[in-house]
Amino acid sequence: MSAPDSRPPGKGSAPGGVYLDHAASTPMEASVAARVAEMGAVAGNPASVHSAGVWAAREVERARMRLAARLGASEEELVFTSGATEANNMALKGVVFAARRHRPELLVSAVEHPSVLEPARWLDAAGLARLTVLPVDGEGRMRVETVEAALGPDTLLVSVQHANNETGVLQPVAAIGRLCRSRGVHFHVDASQGLCKAPIDVNGCAIDLLTASGHKLHGPKGVGLLYLREGVPFEPLLHGGGHERGLRGGTLNAPAIAGFGLAVAGYSAEELARVASLRDRFEAGLRARFPNVRIAAGAVPRIPTISNFALPGVSGKAVFQALDRRGVLVSASSACHSTLLTPSAVLKAMGASDDEANEAVRVSFGRTTAAFEVDTLLTALAELQEEVNACR
Ligand code: PMP
């Protein structure tokens, strides 16, 4: 029997070939990977009081300090989790469980990640809350007036993401946060895609709860955080052990947390400008080669790392598979949906038909992306178009 193939998929100069699916996950930066490996070789549990434990705890606290500084939060307000899915579940369920009110209302935007929408639907189905899903406009933006019109006496929490995972569209979180604060309603922001790629500050934006994830910003997978503003009534989901001030039981993943902290410290304005110029190079190349291309939300504020396009008449899945065969890795709209044949709920919420939503392809850039990779993608797309034309 032959040994399983342990080589990464794709081809090209980097492992994984031309990897343009950074919204699904990013490679760890070299310094982050080295730190994670170094910490992983040390046995100390950060909850232990011997020197190895104290050393690990110090590294966790260093990361907490860096992450708190990024968010404008204080260190005691951060709770480390296994990722953004856990943090989103905690945010919604933890606030509802603590409220001890009869079916309080949750207002959630239609373009939220399933890790927000599904716990909200679960709370509704269980009779613990009442969910109202708020529509977005044709560009995928949550209008402040829509939130304002929906707020009622029973509204407990509003959840609107920072940046969308399929289109990169930025939401007006500061304005929504101020509105919620003025009405005494809690405000949760899923900042998994936007953190480090666009400014966000928990005080400036009047945010009560915020979610982030390590692997979306060149940190490790399986680590995230929930920012929980001091004083927000909250019921923990994981009991036992008293970790994280009793808010989330479980031994801390110290190597991943240290890597997460290091990863956020690595982002600079210059680097973001470079990534934005690659995204613009890609979209200009697309428009030049494919005059009928549709670029989702191309004219509204977006994070620089995501581009969502469609070639009319060509399915996104076919594009994604043909590119994969050429060693260029992108996504058919959203990684979470690429194995399913259901059209993207995000694009549908923006008014796309099923056929239009099925044509969407998501290309996402990272700090390791090089200009030649963008050009390789454009060339591969042009070849693909020739093949499609030849078959017609
Ligand atoms: N929220 C958003 C906006 C995301 O893009 C993702 C990852 N696709 C998540 C939450 C879930 O993150 P994690 O993988 O850390 O659970």
Side-chain angles (χ1 to χ4, degrees):
M1 202 174 79
S2 63
D5 191 351
S6 63
R7 284 169 306 161
K11 61 184 183 195
S13 61
V18 173
Y19 182 83
L20 293 169
D21 196 16
H22 291 83
S25 197
T26 52
M28 272 193 277
E29 223 192 351
S31 62
V32 171
R35 193 76 189 123
V36 173
E38 185 188 10
M39 296 256 328
V42 176
N45 181 329
S48 298
V49 290
H50 52 56
S51 53
V54 169
W55 182 80
R58 208 165 40 225
E59 293 301 312
V60 166
E61 293 318 308
R62 203 198 305 267
R64 200 188 299 275
M65 216 164 63
R66 287 177 165 147
L67 286 154
R70 255 296 165 179
L71 295 169
S74 66
E75 290 142 40
E76 311 78 62
E77 295 173 308
L78 300 195
V79 181
F80 286 115
T81 67
S82 65
T85 300
E86 182 185 338
N88 283 336
N89 271 267
M90 271 171 81
L92 271 64
K93 294 174 185 168
V95 167
V96 168
F97 294 166
R100 304 191 197 289
R101 268 161 52 183
H102 179 67
R103 290 202 91 173
E105 187 185 35
L106 303 174
L107 299 181
V108 176
S109 97
V111 293
E112 294 304 305
H113 189 266
S115 58
V116 171
L117 277 165
E118 286 180 24
R121 288 192 186 112
W122 180 86
L123 285 162
D124 184 290
L128 298 168
R130 192 161 51 80
L131 170 64
T132 301
V133 176
L134 299 178
V136 293
D137 68 14
E139 307 292 333
R141 282 173 305 184
M142 185 74 253
R143 293 193 172 273
V144 185
E145 308 85 73
T146 307
V147 182
E148 189 163 19
L151 282 170
D154 296 335
T155 311
L156 174 67
L157 177 113
V158 170
S159 182
V160 177
Q161 65 198 181
H162 180 208
N164 185 262
N165 48 302
E166 295 189 38
T167 61
V169 167
L170 281 159
Q171 299 294 359
V173 288
I176 297 172
R178 281 193 294 272
L179 169 68
C180 291
R181 180 66 51 85
S182 74
R183 300 290 185 87
V185 169
H186 299 310
F187 182 40
H188 168 245
V189 174
D190 177 359
S192 306
Q193 290 289 344
L195 181 61
C196 292
K197 297 159 200 162
I200 190 144
D201 176 287
V202 291
N203 292 319
C205 301
I207 294 168
D208 296 320
L209 302 105
L210 177 143
T211 294
S213 177
H215 73 111
K216 305 294 186 185
L217 35 79
H218 298 279
K221 294 173 181 54
V223 67
L225 65 80
L226 179 67
Y227 158 79
L228 178 61
R229 182 177 291 281
E230 177 78 50
V232 171
F234 185 81
E235 190 65 45
L237 303 192
L238 301 184
H239 301 97
H243 308 83
E244 297 294 83
R245 300 175 317 289
L247 295 171
R248 194 263 187 190
T251 298
L252 290 176
N253 184 349
I257 291 168
F260 187 14
L262 207 54
V264 294
Y267 274 80
S268 68
E270 295 73 40
E271 204 142 17
L272 285 179
R274 191 188 70 82
V275 176
S277 76
L278 291 177
R279 192 261 323 263
D280 294 346
R281 178 191 185 106
F282 171 65
E283 292 184 354
L286 259 187
R287 288 195 171 98
R289 284 174 175 79
F290 306 97
N292 61 349
V293 70
R294 289 194 311 272
I295 296 179
V300 301
R302 288 178 290 162
I303 49 171
T305 46
I306 299 182
S307 181
N308 189 310
F309 74 94
L311 299 175
V314 187
S315 98
K317 195 166 179 216
V319 173
F320 143 79
Q321 288 172 336
L323 290 173
D324 195 1
R325 286 194 294 276
R326 288 172 165 79
V328 180
L329 310 180
V330 299
S331 161
S333 201
S334 163
C336 309
H337 301 148
S338 46
T339 51
L340 303 174
L341 283 174
T342 50
S344 153
V346 170
L347 297 173
K348 289 200 69 178
M350 292 164 64
S353 65
D354 281 5
D355 284 348
E356 286 167 341
N358 278 330
E359 288 165 353
V361 179
R362 181 185 69 183
V363 175
S364 48
F365 311 92
R367 289 167 52 195
T368 45
T369 304
F372 87 87
E373 295 181 294
V374 170
D375 297 339
T376 305
L377 168 60
L378 286 168
T379 306
L381 284 170
E383 286 170 10
L384 202 76
Q385 179 78 344
E386 276 168 29
E387 280 172 26
V388 171
N389 289 343
C391 295
R392 273 182 178 151

